[in-house]
Amino acid sequence: MKRVLVFLSLIVLFQACAIIHTPGFNSGYKRLPADEQGKICFVSSVDEIPDQNNGKIMAITANQLSVLLARSGSTLLYLWSPHCSSSVCIPLKTIQDFCDSVNLNLYVLTEYYTDAFLQNEFLSRPMLSVNEFYYKTSYCNSYMKRFLSELIPNDQLQSVSHHRFLLFSNEHLVQSYEKAEDIFP
């Protein structure tokens, strides 16, 4: 009986390790090669976020995004997961082409870093990420909740849960969409 308990304990332990290293469970920053880590800019309160995509990912806070949105006019924020294969996730080139065609600014906020650089080239503006050091956690679910609760007013927060597309007019949330098809005319 002891052998069975030890065996089951080991299985649970190995499964827990596999989950922790699964893309999307945590940011993946520490597992990135040094050259990719160097392409992530943890933006301080005095740093300026460039208007054009320079191949880097800008790690920001919700307050920094609010400032960025305030000067951007109508903007679509896409909460993107690089490995998402669900019907609610679409390729970055597709959403960038759509936003260009309707004169809508696009910012993509990647939920984690694993393979994010592979599609960064399709964006006109810098790819964004949540500054995990500011929020004091590397777990995606935790820092995304904290980030969104700072970005979106409490009375609107529940209505955007599980939505990947957030439409802003300056820094004010206008509407959220679960699927891209809901945005497209």
Side-chain angles (χ1 to χ4, degrees):
M1 185 65 169
K2 270 188 168 181
R3 284 183 159 182
V4 172
L5 288 175
V6 169
F7 180 72
L8 289 175
S9 297
L10 287 173
I11 288 175
V12 169
L13 177 66
F14 288 127
Q15 284 181 331
C17 290
I19 290 171
I20 290 171
H21 294 292
T22 300
F25 184 76
N26 62 32
S27 73
Y29 177 76
K30 292 179 182 176
R31 291 188 314 276
L32 290 175
D35 64 320
E36 287 187 359
Q37 282 185 356
K39 292 180 184 177
I40 298 170
C41 300
F42 291 91
V43 180
S44 74
S45 59
V46 296
D47 290 337
E48 187 72 25
I49 298 171
D51 289 333
Q52 300 298 314
N53 185 356
N54 59 6
K56 296 183 178 188
I57 296 176
M58 311 306 280
I60 62 172
T61 66
N63 291 332
Q64 291 169 321
L65 180 57
S66 291
V67 170
L68 197 60
L69 292 169
R71 68 175 195 234
S72 295
S74 295
T75 304
L76 184 66
L77 178 66
Y78 179 18
L79 306 176
W80 179 65
S81 295
H83 292 128
C84 178
S85 59
S86 166
S87 63
V88 300
C89 300
I90 61 172
L92 297 186
K93 182 170 180 9
T94 303
I95 194 71
Q96 183 66 66
D97 289 346
F98 166 74
C99 287
D100 290 345
S101 72
V102 296
N103 200 24
L104 184 64
N105 294 311
L106 172 68
Y107 280 105
V108 172
L109 183 84
T110 186
E111 293 182 346
Y112 53 88
Y113 298 115
T114 309
D115 296 330
F117 287 102
L118 298 176
Q119 292 195 47
N120 192 7
E121 67 183 79
F122 299 115
L123 301 176
S124 299
R125 296 181 182 272
M127 182 179 285
L128 307 174
S129 68
V130 175
N131 186 332
E132 66 185 82
F133 299 112
Y134 175 84
Y135 292 100
K136 297 179 176 42
T137 181
S138 65
Y139 297 106
C140 291
N141 197 30
S142 296
Y143 61 65
M144 288 301 292
K145 282 182 182 178
R146 293 174 188 173
F147 183 89
L148 291 173
S149 69
E150 285 182 14
L151 181 66
I152 299 168
N154 286 338
D155 61 329
Q156 293 178 300
L157 193 55
Q158 186 62 31
S159 66
V160 302
S161 122
H162 306 296
H163 289 189
R164 292 201 168 265
F165 303 93
L166 309 176
L167 182 62
F168 288 87
S169 176
N170 297 319
E171 73 273 18
H172 304 288
L173 179 67
V174 175
Q175 187 151 3
S176 65
Y177 305 93
E178 183 179 4
K179 298 178 182 177
E181 297 86 45
D182 299 335
I183 306 168
F184 298 136

